[in-house]
Amino acid sequence: MTTENTTPVDTTAVDATPVANGFAVLGLAPELLAAVADLGFTQPTTVQEQCIGKAMSRTEGFIDLMVSSQTGSGKTAAFLLPVLNTLLQQQAAAEAADKAAYEEALARGEAPAKKARKNPLNPRSFKAAVPGALIVCPTRELAQQVANDAIDLVQHCKGLRIANVVGGMPYQMQIARLQNADLVVATPGRLLDLQRSGQIKLDQVQFLVVDEADRMLDLGFAEDLAEIHQLTANRHQTMMFSATFAPRIQALASRVMRKPQHIQIDSPQEAHANIKQVLFWADDARHKRAMLDHWLRDKSINQAIVFASTQIECDGLAEDLQQEGFDAVALHGALSQGLRNRRLMALRRGQVQILVATDVAARGIDVPTITHVFNYGLPMKSEDYTHRIGRTGRAGRDGLAVTFAEFRDRRKIGDIEAYSKQLFNAEVIPGLEPKQRFAPTSAPRSGFGGKPARPGERRNGNGGGGFGRNTGFGAKSFGPREGGRGGFGGPREGGFGDRGRPAR
Ligand code: AMP
């Protein structure tokens, strides 16, 4: 006879065991740990693990850091968390000192001075902002993204104020928002304008972060950076983040940093292991368009960015796609900031499916629902290819990066392969195979494994192959997709007033 065991089993015991948050060991303040947990971050990424402790350590003062890390690696929190942590500690120490002074004054029987109340809407009560930390970013979009991340991280911190300073915003609004800012995230041009007009003082900046330093140099901000370096000469720490440690970045680092420690996180190809990359050779522009149209009807697309080479191509393509019933809008640097913000917001909210963008405008976009990136116009620089494809596969998801190239683009394709140390998989779409035959010319230079891939040929393939013949490993054809125009349901309605208007 078996006796039933009536001892109650505590089924909650296992579930109730708190999952250890990997950030706890990094020495961050409880307010920041709470914010990290709210964001759903349970383990620091590699760059966070390597940077946060080092950036906060203070054996002989703060250490300057030079970090090579891709977007998508968690680099923003890697620099924000240590800076915010130190600002919080300083704030707590200042509050404790104020409290002690207040109590001493009371003990002496003195009436403590009342703080003057400021009217936040009255420009005459504005005082120059004196931030303790400054993050400079190459583009407005990236600066806004970083500022938003910072706001998320300080949600449990009382009194730590974040301000965003970017061009294209009304000055008065920006000046009002700058009031009492502890951490300012800025693009260089507007920052220096506000500094020259006395709205912001940079001499109390203790922490300077230069984000996407490589891009800063590309966009011609070297002189602005030199000026910011001079204006923040009293700072304790500089951190510089860049996709590469190219010689020009090293030279910049040696000008603005003191014996920086180098942290190299990942190479371009390792950073994008979750992003599948494919290449389609095209006979000409019309063929390329046909393949793009085919792809945009793919039902697996949630949201996509289509990259164009120029602003004109960007506007033209977005308009064409709208005409064909696609839910597409353009984003590029010539559009007003308000319009860019509205379009980005619509993308984030899922109110627009396809963003046709230039490199500069799309830099830093962090929308996890972007499943596909299409390189319609190839990037001018190989580094930009890496930044482009990093717009998909965000927050641990998978992504697909599709590149269309005409035969005359083969040198650029070779350069991208050399830079990313990764070969493209050339594929064909049945019914849309390239017809052109490969015309042998002098093989263009490539820094990786000799010649760049020829159309229809794998680098390690055996023999030439006609243009468009798929001879290599990993080659795959995509079956014809069903559905005509707007296979994903056609244009969506509502919430996005700018759609359809000609881009300015
Ligand atoms: P970033 O490289 O800073 O652009 O970050 C890329 C994405 O990763 C953003 O969507 C972040 O919110 C997310 N992220 C950053 N740190 C973590 C983490 N420790 N765990 C999960 N996601 C993270």
Side-chain angles (χ1 to χ4, degrees), residues 292 296-297 301-306 318 321 326-330 347 351-357 374 488 499:
L292 176 68
L296 290 180
R297 295 190 174 102
I301 296 177
N302 185 344
Q303 284 176 297
I305 300 186
V306 179
L321 292 175
F326 290 111
D327 184 13
V329 290
L347 182 77
Q351 292 161 342
V352 65
Q353 191 190 25
I354 300 164
L355 188 74
V356 185
F374 296 99
F488 45 78
R499 204 156 16 102

Side-chain angles (χ1 to χ4, degrees), residues 51-58 61-66 78-84 86-87 132-134 205-210 229 232-241 256-258 260-261:
C51 287
I52 293 173
K54 274 207 180 91
M56 296 194 310
S57 77
R58 231 179 301 178
F62 288 98
I63 306 166
D64 283 359
L65 293 180
M66 163 104 183
F79 60 73
L80 284 176
L81 282 169
V83 169
L84 291 170
T86 311
L87 291 177
L134 175 65
V205 167
Q206 307 169 59
F207 306 102
L208 173 68
V209 179
V210 181
H229 165 60
T232 59
N234 298 331
R235 67 190 186 270
H236 303 322
Q237 184 177 50
T238 311
M239 289 189 256
M240 198 147 97
F241 285 71
V256 304
M257 299 171 102
R258 289 159 304 194
Q261 277 198 20

Side-chain angles (χ1 to χ4, degrees), residues 23 41 43-45 48 70-77 366 394-395:
F23 284 89
F41 302 174
Q43 292 303 322
T45 63
Q48 290 163 359
Q70 305 293 321
T71 51
S73 60
K75 69 184 169 67
T76 313
D366 181 16
R394 308 289 292 176

